[in-house]
Amino acid sequence: MKRDSKLSGVLHILLHMAELEVPVTSEDLSKIMDTNPVVVRRLMAGLREQGYVCSEKGHGGGWTVACDPTQVTLLDIYEAVGSPSLLAIGNRTESPGCLVEQSVNAALGKAFNEAEKRLLRRLSEVTLASLSADCHKRLKAKGISLKAKPNTHGV
């Protein structure tokens, strides 16, 4: 089953963008995400609508972070990218006639709802700034400066 990595990808590029002092093009961001620039523009449009990023057209233009990373949570970004499904599992059928399957659905449904509530609560507790701080800590431990190498991956 394919996982939805939209949230992870957007957080990845937002952290890179937060480190840079210049606008970043969709083409450059697409290289970081290993995807098509059109996909990046669609994702960024949702973030722009919420005021998390802004874009400048023309030579020297591109995307920049327009929010305070200490005030924006992972939940905010999750919602801005369309609130993709949190769980990759679900019921075999949604409206079964079988009483056994109805019992299974009821038990699983309760567990799924509880898991989603806990995950959303946790996403609301983590800010972009805390992600950035963790990244800096990891880079420092390896002797790497993110500002010196904004596109360093897998180091």
Side-chain angles (χ1 to χ4, degrees), residues 16-122:
H16 277 291
M17 290 170 55
E19 294 295 325
L20 301 173
E21 297 175 4
V22 296
V24 186
T25 67
S26 297
E27 289 74 24
D28 288 339
L29 293 174
S30 71
K31 291 173 188 168
I32 293 171
M33 284 185 70
D34 193 27
T35 192
N36 189 294
V38 172
V39 172
V40 171
R41 284 189 281 276
R42 285 185 192 138
L43 288 172
M44 299 304 277
L47 296 176
R48 181 179 50 212
E49 289 173 14
Q50 299 299 317
Y52 301 131
V53 299
C54 60
S55 61
E56 299 173 27
K57 294 183 180 194
H59 181 69
W63 297 97
T64 56
V65 174
C67 62
D68 178 354
T70 65
Q71 300 300 311
V72 178
T73 68
L74 302 191
L75 179 61
D76 296 328
I77 303 303
Y78 165 77
E79 291 171 345
V81 297
S83 304
S85 179
L86 292 171
L87 301 175
I89 58 174
N91 296 324
R92 190 174 71 88
T93 57
E94 290 304 317
S95 300
C98 175
L99 295 177
V100 171
E101 192 166 4
Q102 289 175 15
S103 293
V104 168
N105 283 6
L108 289 178
K110 183 177 179 184
F112 296 157
N113 287 337
E114 289 173 7
E116 285 187 356
K117 284 179 186 176
R118 289 186 85 180
L119 181 52
L120 291 172
R121 185 172 48 250
R122 180 63 183 134

Side-chain angles (χ1 to χ4, degrees), residues 139-154:
L139 289 167
K140 185 177 180 182
K142 291 195 175 248
I144 300 168
S145 168
L146 188 58
K147 287 190 187 261
K149 293 183 171 186
N151 293 322
T152 300
H153 291 89

